[in-house]
């Protein structure tokens, strides 16, 4: 079981929410994808993004954990990965601002959640994000 706390590089919205909440910290499981390398939508030259993406969900939801980590059928990973790649490929390098990244995370979450049967993801995390221009 993998537990991951919110990274200090989280967006201001997440940091503000964490700072103002008085509830007890909810443990969160994460499911990480292999590194993603894809082109961006810029038309003024080839630009690429390389990023590692993880999704976060409540550690209390063991059924969602099983669904995400099911290696026997492994039907969710390609679907979720396709959603992530499509969101990233629709963006330009200039879209990678704090506000733009928040919007991308929201789009990824809204794209993935309808495909899940046993719960919803709550957060999307980017790490090792590199844009090559």
């Amino acid at each position: 079981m993998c537990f991951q706390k919110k990274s200090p590089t989280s967006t201001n919205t997440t940091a503000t929410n964490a700072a103002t909440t008085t509830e007890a910290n909810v443990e969160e499981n994460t499911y990480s994808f292999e590194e993603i390398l894809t082109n961006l939508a810029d038309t003024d030259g080839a630009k690429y993004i390389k990023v590692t993406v993880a999704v976060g969900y409540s550690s209390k939801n063991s059924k969602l954990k099983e669904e995400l980590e099911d290696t026997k059928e492994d039907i969710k990973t390609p679907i979720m990965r396709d959603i992530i790649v499509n969101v990233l490929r629709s963006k330009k390098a200039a879209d990678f601002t704090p506000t733009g990244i928040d919007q991308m995370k929201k789009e990824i979450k809204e794209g993935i959640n309808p495909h899940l049967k046993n719960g919803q993801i709550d957060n999307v995390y980017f790490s090792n994000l590199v844009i090559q221009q």
Side-chain angles (χ1 to χ4, degrees):
M1 184 179 298
C2 175
F3 294 100
Q4 179 178 336
K5 293 188 179 188
K6 291 182 176 134
S7 96
T9 58
S10 294
T11 62
N12 290 339
T13 304
T14 303
T16 303
N17 288 345
T20 58
T21 186
T22 56
E23 296 176 25
N25 258 350
V26 175
E27 292 294 327
E28 184 175 62
N29 285 348
T30 60
Y31 177 80
S32 295
F33 298 90
E34 291 181 17
E35 187 174 83
I36 293 172
L37 175 65
T38 189
N39 57 313
L40 294 171
D42 292 279
T43 57
D44 60 341
K47 295 184 183 174
Y48 300 92
I49 183 169
K50 181 170 79 169
V51 64
T52 303
V53 178
V55 293
Y57 58 95
S58 172
S59 63
K60 294 178 183 178
N61 191 340
S62 60
K63 288 190 181 284
L64 182 56
K65 177 180 171 54
E66 290 172 20
E67 180 179 359
L68 291 173
E69 296 179 359
D70 182 6
T71 56
K72 188 167 66 173
E73 303 213 8
D74 199 17
I75 56 174
K76 296 296 177 180
T77 301
I79 293 168
M80 294 186 295
R81 194 171 163 86
D82 182 62
I83 291 165
I84 294 167
V85 168
N86 283 333
V87 168
L88 295 174
R89 289 183 73 181
S90 72
K91 305 302 177 188
K92 295 183 177 185
D95 294 331
F96 286 83
T97 63
T99 304
I101 290 172
D102 282 345
Q103 181 60 34
M104 285 176 230
K105 290 178 178 183
K106 181 180 176 186
E107 288 176 41
I108 290 169
K109 189 168 74 167
E110 289 173 352
I112 290 174
N113 278 335
H115 295 280
L116 301 174
K117 296 177 185 172
N118 296 308
Q120 304 277 294
I121 61 168
D122 301 315
N123 296 300
V124 175
Y125 301 104
F126 291 164
S127 61
N128 304 320
L129 188 136
V130 178
I131 298 174
Q132 185 261 326
Q133 300 188 31

